[in-house]
Amino acid sequence: ETGVTQSPTHLIKTRGQQVTLRCSSQSGHNTVSWYQQALGQGPQFIFQYYREEENGRGNFPPRFSGLQFPNYSSELNVNALELDDSALYLCASSTTGSRSYGYTFGSGTRLTVV
Amino acid sequence: LAKTTQPISMDSYEGQEVNITCSHNNIATNDYITWYQQFPSQGPRFIIQGYKTKVTNEVASLFIPADRKSSTLSLPRVSLSDTAVYYCLVGESGYSTLTFGKGTMLLVSP
């Protein structure tokens, strides 16, 4: 059973640019969530995808968008990058209706905006 | 979702038992208590979940008093590899998102 894999592991972008982060779900999981973790803070929920549609969103602006593909993998896109977008971006997969123990996180993508 | 309060940091030595207490005064009837562990540059990892009384697994124990307004994660005989941030989460079973606080940074020294 493979876990959640994210790519790339590290990324440096310039303010104003766009970025795409990728996530492959754990085998058997059909739901993907994305979290942003700033330094010294806990992860903050961005959004969740199920059946290729967004079915929950945290307090993040529309320039944060995502996709889920038929194989349950997912992308997180961020447009017009700002310095405050620098963070660890975590992907978590689960099955629908998982209790909170059912989430498997990847190791994240460290994004630095300069 | 119920708000949680936990110590910002704790120090311990190898071989000691560590107890991390989380306060959740506004916990609702349907809420479960879940603990996650996070190592640097890794995603959080589920440790344990409970509703009331005591739950034990191969990693930790979770103690929940009758009023459920607090809970204590107990790590027996910690080692250096237990140095991590520990998060207490409270929410309904089956809820679709996880709400993390700042967690407790546990430092285990030789």
Side-chain angles (χ1 to χ4, degrees):
Chain A
E1 175 182 278
T2 59
V4 175
T5 58
Q6 294 187 241
S7 63
T9 55
H10 295 83
L11 199 55
I12 299 176
K13 288 287 189 177
T14 303
R15 188 173 51 183
Q17 284 187 317
Q18 178 267 342
V19 69
T20 298
L21 310 181
R22 295 177 175 81
C23 171
S24 294
S25 304
Q26 178 170 308
S27 176
H29 285 183
N30 58 13
T31 301
V32 174
S33 305
W34 287 89
Y35 289 78
Q36 179 196 65
Q37 186 173 24
L39 202 60
Q41 305 293 318
Q44 300 299 305
F45 174 68
I46 302 175
F47 45 55
Q48 182 180 81
Y49 278 81
Y50 170 64
R51 288 186 175 179
E52 304 176 47
E53 290 191 2
E54 184 182 297
N55 73 342
R57 189 178 184 92
N59 188 27
F60 280 82
R63 59 190 184 84
F64 286 78
S65 63
L67 287 172
Q68 185 184 31
F69 301 99
N71 65 354
Y72 307 124
S73 65
S74 177
E75 288 182 355
L76 164 65
N77 299 291
V78 187
N79 294 321
L81 284 167
E82 301 176 359
L83 297 179
D84 285 347
D85 295 333
S86 295
L88 180 67
Y89 287 85
L90 296 162
C91 170
S93 72
S94 61
T95 54
T96 305
S98 289
R99 295 173 63 175
S100 50
Y101 58 71
Y103 293 82
T104 302
F105 283 83
S107 295
T109 294
R110 174 71 63 186
L111 172 65
T112 303
V113 182
V114 298
Chain B
L1 295 173
K3 182 180 178 180
T4 59
T5 302
Q6 35 180 142
I8 294 175
S9 64
M10 294 183 68
D11 294 325
S12 183
Y13 293 96
E14 283 189 294
Q16 289 189 332
E17 178 184 74
V18 171
N19 295 308
I20 306 174
T21 297
C22 178
S23 172
H24 29 79
N25 291 320
N26 296 322
I27 190 168
T29 303
N30 295 332
D31 285 346
Y32 281 72
I33 300 153
T34 309
W35 287 80
Y36 274 77
Q37 174 193 55
Q38 186 177 25
F39 299 113
S41 297
Q42 292 189 26
R45 181 178 72 108
F46 168 80
I47 300 177
I48 197 166
Q49 183 181 75
Y51 183 81
K52 61 180 179 180
T53 62
K54 177 184 175 182
V55 179
T56 298
N57 61 22
E58 65 277 6
V59 176
S61 293
L62 179 60
F63 298 93
I64 305 168
D67 66 5
R68 304 201 325 125
K69 293 184 182 300
S70 67
S71 58
T72 299
L73 174 72
S74 180
L75 305 173
R77 299 179 297 282
V78 294
S79 65
L80 297 178
S81 62
D82 291 317
T83 293
V85 178
Y86 292 82
Y87 295 98
C88 166
L89 290 77
V90 172
E92 288 189 31
S93 169
Y95 56 83
S96 61
T97 67
L98 302 177
T99 300
F100 292 86
K102 292 187 177 182
T104 297
M105 175 64 219
L106 172 64
L107 177 61
V108 180
S109 301

